[in-house]
Amino acid sequence: MVKLQAQNLNLYFGKNHVLKDVNLDIQDKKITAMIGPSGCGKSTLLRTFNRMNDLIPDVKISGSVRLGENDIYAGKMDLYKLRAKIGMVFQKPNPFPKSIFKNVSFGLDIAGKHQKCEIADIVEESLKAVWLWDEVKNRLHCSAMSLSGGQQQRLCIARALANEPEVLLLDEPTSALDPQSTARIEELCLALKDRVSILIVTHNIAQAGRIADFTAFMYLGEMIEYAPTTKMFTVPQDKRTEAYLTGAFG
Amino acid sequence: MKRKLSQLLGFFFLTICMVLTMAFLGIFLYSIFSQGWEVLSLRFLLEAPREGMTAGGIFPALVGTFWLTLLAVLIALPLGLLCSIYLFSYARKGPFLSLLKITINTLAGVPSIIFGLFGMALFVNMLSLDVSLISGALTLAVLSLPIVINASQEAFSGVPRDFIEAAYALGATKRQMITKVLIPTAAPNILTSAILVVGRVAGETAPIIFTAATFFNRRLPKSLGDEVMALPYHIFALMTEGTHPEAQVPIAYGSAVVLLMLVLLISSLALIIRYSLRKKRQW
């Protein structure tokens, strides 16, 4: 089943044509990795899915992006609900300078729909989902900044999960982490894919190979190849994909 | 050898500059304190002037300066903060925004006596607030607005972009991002600059000459409409008016010492707060 679909997507920053006619179907409850050299537009593509590019003043977008049946760029789409439904985790762990608890409850607090005790339950459940609960349950009200980098990144995932998102966008989530924390995040992605569809941008080809069901290769703003990971990694269809995977450029 | 020599010369030159600066500061403090400290006493702080300003203390001036400063900051801080939020988060890039920023920076460079004239024209005359505590406080507030705006702009720019994006990515509206992330994160820096504004406002003389200050008033201000004495203006008055300079000059220097101590105290408070918050800050 297709969860997220980009069709004929073009994106410009001013005169700079960043995404060129991109088509992509993200499967539900699968991990999809986006790879490609720096500046190929993969992060920008990721950010069109939760409309974070809207924050940039002179951005122009054409084509369509659908979440399920709904065009997320349609006028009647509630931007704030959309962003809650499509969680995002950034390259550098960016917990707020607030307590661990307040970080996870942030999305619930701003949505303003939940009772206090309900929030405590969801916070606990979200922290358990990222295997952080046992490590922090005795210091929920300490600053999130006191956690290690890997813990902070898992906290950021928990913060996104608390909104019960349908899709999780991960923008190079392990590039600022040590190998051990990276392995933990990768395991976590595999454990979470029963719950959400995951779209991950990565510089690390091996990482895509380890965790992704599908892989998309982008180059200079174009979607060059999109296929099941095992297929792309064994028989790439495009010469450029092959060159990138074998390390001829990057 | 030549490089070593030029190193040595450079070092020597920098040291001279530093020593000169410190010497100026030292001489300055010495001349104020040596002429003022004799009159200092608790009674000097807590008594009203007596016998045509040739004896007594400075209590009404202290109280006047306190109220002027407090009111001015209470007016300027919220107003400046809101302007700053508009500039940072709502104003669109373009000629209008550039014009606004130029205007604010120009205001920051206007000599304070001009603010005094402006305050007299607008608050005292046009709005008929007369020479009063409120006219003075408003004038001082206008003077400190550009400082508050620029300082909070800087504080906002210091908030990591990551935090702002994280808030939006979790579904925050712009208002929620501002109230829950931007302001709390910038608050320590805004606070310290607010304290520095207090120090600046407390020492201003020119803006209150025509708008609030009075030469002599035994009573303490009872309402916003009262004229008040103020420390800096009191010094000015003691040095330029009256007929007994031999008695007035020491009192003027005494007042100067008090004012100087107040401003130093406030500035060091800001430094201490800034330092301790920096140490606590973890991003």
Side-chain angles (χ1 to χ4, degrees):
Chain A
M1 196 182 101
V2 176
K3 184 75 204 172
L4 203 53
Q5 183 184 48
Q7 273 183 325
N8 305 323
L9 187 66
N10 281 285
L11 182 142
Y12 301 80
F13 289 134
K15 290 201 171 83
N16 193 4
H17 197 175
V18 180
L19 296 178
K20 298 170 187 162
D21 245 347
V22 169
N23 289 289
L24 185 67
D25 293 346
I26 307 294
Q27 299 296 318
D28 195 19
K29 310 277 162 73
K30 299 278 186 234
I31 298 177
T32 304
M34 294 204 286
I35 58 173
S38 297
C40 70
K42 52 194 192 306
S43 284
T44 303
L45 178 59
L46 194 77
R47 284 163 169 259
T48 55
F49 292 126
N50 64 344
R51 294 185 55 176
M52 286 298 276
N53 288 322
D54 291 21
L55 297 175
I56 297 161
D58 54 352
V59 68
K60 265 198 329 241
I61 297 169
S62 68
S64 80
V65 180
R66 291 176 180 281
L67 174 67
E69 294 296 302
N70 306 309
D71 184 346
I72 67 167
Y73 283 92
K76 62 178 193 294
M77 173 56 74
D78 182 334
L79 178 60
Y80 308 109
K81 280 190 186 143
L82 170 80
R83 291 203 182 126
K85 254 197 276 185
I86 300 187
M88 183 163 203
V89 175
F90 297 80
Q91 183 168 1
K92 207 177 115 210
N94 60 352
F96 298 120
K98 301 173 187 282
S99 72
I100 294 168
F101 186 94
K102 283 262 176 215
N103 263 281
V104 184
S105 70
F106 188 87
L108 306 168
D109 290 338
I110 58 175
K113 287 185 305 203
H114 300 267
Q115 303 289 328
K116 229 179 164 178
C117 52
E118 230 184 327
I119 290 181
D121 285 344
I122 299 173
V123 168
E124 178 175 344
E125 194 275 327
S126 306
L127 285 170
K128 278 181 175 160
V130 299
W131 311 321
L132 204 55
W133 177 252
D134 288 330
E135 294 161 49
V136 302
K137 65 183 173 197
N138 294 323
R139 48 182 181 133
L140 287 175
H141 298 286
C142 296
S143 169
M145 298 297 181
S146 64
L147 300 173
S148 74
Q151 287 176 322
Q152 285 187 11
Q153 197 61 304
R154 279 185 283 145
L155 180 70
C156 291
I157 297 175
R159 182 172 70 180
L161 286 179
N163 278 336
E164 297 198 12
E166 299 173 20
V167 181
L168 203 53
L169 307 174
L170 307 173
D171 191 358
E172 298 182 33
T174 60
S175 63
L177 301 181
D178 62 89
Q180 220 171 2
S181 306
T182 299
R184 200 117 169 93
I185 299 272
E186 288 179 7
E187 283 171 52
L188 182 59
C189 287
L190 291 169
L192 287 175
K193 75 172 181 178
D194 295 334
R195 182 169 164 167
V196 287
S197 316
I198 295 176
L199 186 54
I200 179 171
V201 165
T202 179
H203 258 125
N204 184 338
I205 298 170
Q207 182 170 63
R210 284 193 295 269
I211 63 172
D213 301 296
F214 295 88
T215 298
F217 171 64
M218 288 187 73
Y219 185 57
L220 300 177
E222 285 178 70
M223 184 61 67
I224 304 297
E225 191 167 345
Y226 175 50
T229 305
T230 43
K231 190 170 163 227
M232 183 188 283
F233 278 49
T234 44
V235 275
Q237 301 296 304
D238 194 286
K239 267 203 227 109
R240 288 166 292 184
T241 316
E242 187 175 355
Y244 183 71
L245 289 176
T246 53
F249 71 98
Chain B
M1 195 58 207
K2 210 177 149 198
R3 282 174 50 190
K4 245 190 186 162
L5 194 70
S6 70
Q7 272 275 39
L8 211 66
L9 270 174
F11 177 68
F12 182 70
F13 183 68
L14 293 177
T15 312
I16 291 281
C17 291
M18 190 63 221
V19 168
L20 267 180
T21 311
M22 295 307 289
F24 278 132
L25 186 66
I27 295 166
F28 163 76
L29 286 175
Y30 174 77
S31 67
I32 301 276
F33 275 78
S34 64
Q35 296 183 68
W37 77 275
E38 274 170 50
V39 299
L40 285 188
S41 68
L42 200 60
R43 286 181 62 185
F44 182 70
L45 294 178
L46 297 178
E47 267 185 9
R50 281 181 286 116
E51 292 159 39
M53 311 269 277
T54 56
I58 53 166
F59 189 57
L62 263 181
V63 172
T65 287
F66 171 78
W67 282 115
L68 278 171
T69 311
L70 183 73
L71 285 172
V73 171
L74 283 183
I75 297 164
L77 200 61
L79 200 60
L81 205 56
L82 292 174
C83 286
S84 194
I85 289 170
Y86 170 81
L87 289 174
F88 187 79
S89 303
Y90 287 92
R92 281 172 181 269
K93 267 199 185 127
F96 180 62
L97 181 60
S98 310
L99 187 71
L100 274 179
K101 288 194 167 161
I102 292 171
T103 313
I104 291 164
N105 285 325
T106 311
L107 272 182
V110 170
S112 56
I113 186 75
I114 310 229
F115 279 103
L117 286 175
F118 157 81
M120 184 175 70
L122 180 66
F123 302 123
V124 177
N125 295 333
M126 231 171 94
L127 299 177
S128 317
L129 294 172
D130 295 330
V131 174
S132 64
L133 181 52
I134 187 67
S135 294
L138 284 167
T139 309
L140 287 170
V142 175
L143 169 116
S144 41
L145 260 182
I147 312 172
V148 173
I149 294 175
N150 282 335
S152 24
Q153 284 290 84
E154 217 165 282
F156 289 148
S157 318
V159 174
R161 173 106 198 131
D162 292 0
F163 294 170
I164 295 170
E165 290 204 324
Y168 281 131
L170 288 164
T173 60
K174 189 173 261 187
R175 189 181 58 77
Q176 288 170 325
M177 186 282 290
I178 291 167
T179 54
K180 301 212 177 236
V181 175
L182 189 67
I183 293 178
T185 315
N189 283 336
I190 294 174
L191 182 71
T192 45
S193 48
I195 297 173
L196 289 173
V197 169
V198 169
R200 168 85 196 274
V201 168
E204 279 294 343
T205 321
I208 55 172
I209 296 180
F210 317 121
T211 57
T214 175
F215 181 52
F216 178 66
N217 194 349
R218 278 199 80 87
R219 286 189 313 121
L220 300 179
K222 287 219 167 54
S223 76
L224 293 176
D226 285 353
E227 290 180 308
V228 290
M229 289 182 74
L231 265 185
Y233 183 69
H234 188 53
I235 298 169
F236 173 71
L238 284 166
M239 297 300 282
T240 54
E241 303 191 22
T243 47
H244 299 280
E246 70 289 347
Q248 286 174 232
V249 168
I251 300 183
Y253 274 98
S255 311
V257 169
V258 174
L259 184 58
L260 202 61
M261 297 286 274
L262 269 178
V263 174
L264 282 179
L265 204 75
I266 292 168
S267 311
S268 35
L269 186 67
L271 278 178
I272 291 168
I273 292 181
R274 176 169 295 188
Y275 179 73
S276 67
L277 289 172
R278 280 259 165 87
K279 245 175 52 182
K280 255 178 39 192
R281 191 172 75 177
Q282 285 151 319
W283 71 88

